[in-house]
Amino acid sequence: MNRRTKEKTYFLFFRFCGAIVVLALLVLLTYIILGGIRSVNIDFITQFPKQGMSEGGILPAIVGTFYLCTIVLAFSVPVGVLSAIYLVEYEKNSTVKKIWRIVVHNLAGVPSIVYGLLGLGLFVMALDFGFSLIAAGLTVGLLVLPIIIAAAREAILAVPESVREASLALGATKWQTIRHHVLPYAMSGILTGIILSLSRAAGETAPILMTGAAYFMRSLPDSIFSQFMALPFHLYAMATQSSDLIATRPIQYGTALVLLMLVIGMNLIAILLRKKYRQKYRW
Amino acid sequence: MTMKIAIGIRSSLKGLKQRLISRHRSEMYNKKEYAIKAILFVVTLTTIFTLSAVFFFIFSEALPAFDEIGVIEFITGPVWNPTSPTNPAYGILPLLCGTFLVSLGASVIAIPIGIGCTIYLAEIAHPKIRSLLKPAIEILAGIPSVVYGFFALVILSDWIYAIFHNTYRLNALNGAIMLAVMMIPIMVSLAEDAMNSVPKELREAAYALGATRWETLKGIIIPASLSGITAAIMLSIGRAVGETMTVLMACGNTPIITWDMLSSVETMTAAIAIEMGEINFGSLHYHALFAVGAVLFVITFAINFVADLVLSKFTEVYH
């Protein structure tokens, strides 16, 4: 075969691969959107389930997911970001840094179900939180912690050393340098990481399945020690265990669509944010 | 004269005051700086402590099961039937087999498409198409696994049935296709980083010698980024092995040892997720599920660790 035709054939295959990926996304979105669009309306997102979950809305699941994300936000973001600052800016021992990087990378790849086991054993049983919002929130918080640390670390590392040197040369202390120069530049990267990990937290099912998500609740959770409904668990339970799988299909599609829009919305915000700041800071 | 002295004294007093103030300030700064460092250190220690709790907790809860069943019997036992009232069996071979079959199927689909897509994205695509394709891939990576599982359960299983008229509606192939869709974005984003980090000079040298774009790709860029691509493939396989909701909803959950992609299988992750809800805490079954989790943890950690090693060992070459 001629060199040029060979090149063309191979490139055609690569184009085809790219097209398949886009096609997969389009097919998935189309089916979920077409399936869910008729179920989703104001009532669907503002009402409680009715008639043994076969009618009504998914308000408690939306609120539960929101509460869960709030706990994750309150726990993982400060801990993760502060740890990343310490490890990048203060830790002098390069071996410690290296070990820490490997541990964080690897823990980010640990299956979510293993975190579920941890949450069940540690928070639900050993610490006696019971099946509750706080147990599930801390479990998911632990799960996204490595992701937040890794993202914050990358963002802080990406700030050039010259920025720090200039600030220190003018007599600023280390913390002033970090506070007024490093963090503002790194903020977009940190924020992107936080939004992405929150969207991950909103979609996680396996860990909350074992630590406190409920199939049905008559009221919204009134304390962090009560059980809660959540969008992903609602979808899973309705699709596999509800009394009439076919009749409740519109609700399943509706929940899937709401969850998908929530997560995609967060992802889009993160993508746009990153794009905006990439253009703003260049060095 | 007196005037001069008075001014001199005043100015030196002023200097002293200034010095005292600045010393006071710097001491305050020192204290504040020290406190900040201490706080950050404590937070980091807590993080290390919590994350290491993951290791210890899983293994300490798994220990009673390994003790009672025996590690060898546990891993090589051909029957997983922990709920049987008369003769419960705790052998995870069927679960290992299910996990292996589904991940293998997913890898066979995902690796060629993922690498092809990476090459397209990194080397061939027009910048405009790239700026559309990249967010598409990121969105694909962000879709919750339960939505993939739902899609496999209600739509993909019908399509597979229409083609094969298979006995089991929910089967390994169903899960494998869906897992492949989940693996591709992870693989593409990691492998693209690797290809982008190949120095420009290498590429220019190849063009200068008259190589075509494909020859440059095959002879220069792919070999140069091979470690990154390998790591990307391994990490995405690690993700597939640990995926829970998709396989739970797509594969039918029957713990049998089989090579048939159209048979219903159960993975380790699915077994934990299904059975954890209906057991007595502290029972052998409870500890056995932690033992499954421990095995899963070891497998995924090993895959990730080796991928990390491959990556850090070979990226040094060009820097």
Coordinates of all heavy atoms in Angstrom, one line a residue, chain A residues 25 30 40 76 81-82 92 94 144 173-174 196 234 243-244 265 268 272 279:
Chain A
L25 N -22.3 9.2 23.7 CA -22.8 10.2 24.6 C -24.2 10.7 24.0 O -25.2 10.8 24.8 CB -21.9 11.4 24.6 CG -22.3 12.6 25.5 CD1 -22.4 12.2 26.9 CD2 -21.4 13.8 25.3
T30 N -29.9 11.2 24.5 CA -31.2 11.2 23.8 C -32.2 10.3 24.5 O -33.3 10.7 24.8 CB -31.0 10.8 22.4 OG1 -29.9 11.4 21.8 CG2 -32.2 11.1 21.6
V40 N -40.8 15.0 33.9 CA -40.3 16.1 34.7 C -41.1 17.3 34.5 O -41.2 17.9 33.4 CB -38.8 16.3 34.4 CG1 -38.2 17.5 35.2 CG2 -38.0 15.0 34.6
S76 N -15.0 17.6 53.4 CA -13.8 17.3 52.6 C -13.1 18.5 52.0 O -11.9 18.5 51.9 CB -14.3 16.5 51.4 OG -14.9 15.3 51.8
V81 N -8.2 20.8 51.0 CA -7.4 22.0 50.5 C -6.3 22.3 51.5 O -5.2 22.6 51.1 CB -8.4 23.2 50.3 CG1 -7.6 24.4 49.9 CG2 -9.4 22.9 49.2
L82 N -6.6 22.3 52.8 CA -5.6 22.6 53.8 C -4.4 21.6 53.7 O -3.3 22.0 53.8 CB -6.2 22.7 55.2 CG -7.1 23.9 55.5 CD1 -7.6 23.9 56.9 CD2 -6.4 25.2 55.2
K92 N 8.9 19.7 53.7 CA 10.2 19.9 53.1 C 10.8 18.5 52.6 O 11.5 18.5 51.7 CB 11.2 20.6 54.0 CG 10.8 22.0 54.3 CD 12.0 22.8 54.8 CE 11.6 24.2 55.2 NZ 10.6 24.3 56.3
S94 N 11.2 15.4 50.7 CA 10.7 15.1 49.4 C 10.2 13.6 49.4 O 9.3 13.3 48.6 CB 11.8 15.3 48.3 OG 12.9 14.4 48.6
V144 N -14.3 11.3 48.2 CA -13.8 12.4 47.3 C -12.6 13.1 47.8 O -12.0 13.9 47.1 CB -15.0 13.4 47.0 CG1 -16.1 12.7 46.4 CG2 -15.4 14.2 48.3
T173 N 5.4 37.5 54.5 CA 5.7 36.2 55.2 C 5.2 35.1 54.3 O 4.5 35.3 53.3 CB 5.0 36.1 56.6 OG1 3.6 36.2 56.3 CG2 5.5 37.3 57.5
K174 N 5.5 33.9 54.7 CA 5.1 32.7 53.9 C 3.6 32.6 53.8 O 3.1 32.4 52.7 CB 5.7 31.5 54.6 CG 5.4 30.2 53.8 CD 6.5 29.2 54.1 CE 6.4 28.1 53.0 NZ 7.6 27.4 52.8
L196 N -16.2 19.3 40.5 CA -16.2 17.9 40.0 C -16.4 16.9 41.1 O -17.1 15.9 40.9 CB -14.9 17.7 39.2 CG -14.8 18.4 37.9 CD1 -13.4 18.1 37.2 CD2 -15.9 18.0 36.9
H234 N -32.6 6.4 44.7 CA -34.0 6.3 44.3 C -34.1 5.6 42.9 O -34.9 4.7 42.7 CB -34.6 7.7 44.3 CG -36.0 7.8 44.0 ND1 -36.5 8.1 42.7 CD2 -37.1 7.5 44.7 CE1 -37.8 8.1 42.7 NE2 -38.2 7.7 43.9
S243 N -42.4 -2.3 43.2 CA -43.4 -3.4 43.1 C -43.8 -3.6 41.7 O -44.0 -4.7 41.2 CB -44.6 -3.1 44.0 OG -45.0 -1.7 43.8
D244 N -43.9 -2.5 40.9 CA -44.2 -2.7 39.5 C -43.2 -1.9 38.6 O -43.3 -0.7 38.4 CB -45.7 -2.2 39.2 CG -46.1 -2.5 37.8 OD1 -45.3 -2.9 37.0 OD2 -47.4 -2.5 37.6
G265 N -24.8 19.6 34.7 CA -24.8 21.1 35.0 C -23.5 21.4 35.8 O -22.8 22.4 35.5
L268 N -20.5 21.1 33.6 CA -20.3 22.2 32.6 C -19.8 23.5 33.3 O -18.9 24.2 32.8 CB -21.7 22.5 32.0 CG -22.1 21.6 30.8 CD1 -23.4 22.0 30.3 CD2 -21.0 21.7 29.7
L272 N -16.5 25.4 32.1 CA -16.5 26.8 31.7 C -15.5 27.6 32.6 O -14.8 28.4 32.1 CB -17.9 27.3 31.8 CG -18.8 26.8 30.8 CD1 -20.2 27.4 31.0 CD2 -18.3 27.2 29.4
Q279 N -7.7 31.3 30.2 CA -7.4 32.5 29.4 C -6.9 33.7 30.2 O -6.2 34.5 29.7 CB -8.7 32.8 28.6 CG -8.9 31.9 27.5 CD -10.4 31.9 26.9 OE1 -11.2 32.6 27.5 NE2 -10.6 31.2 25.9

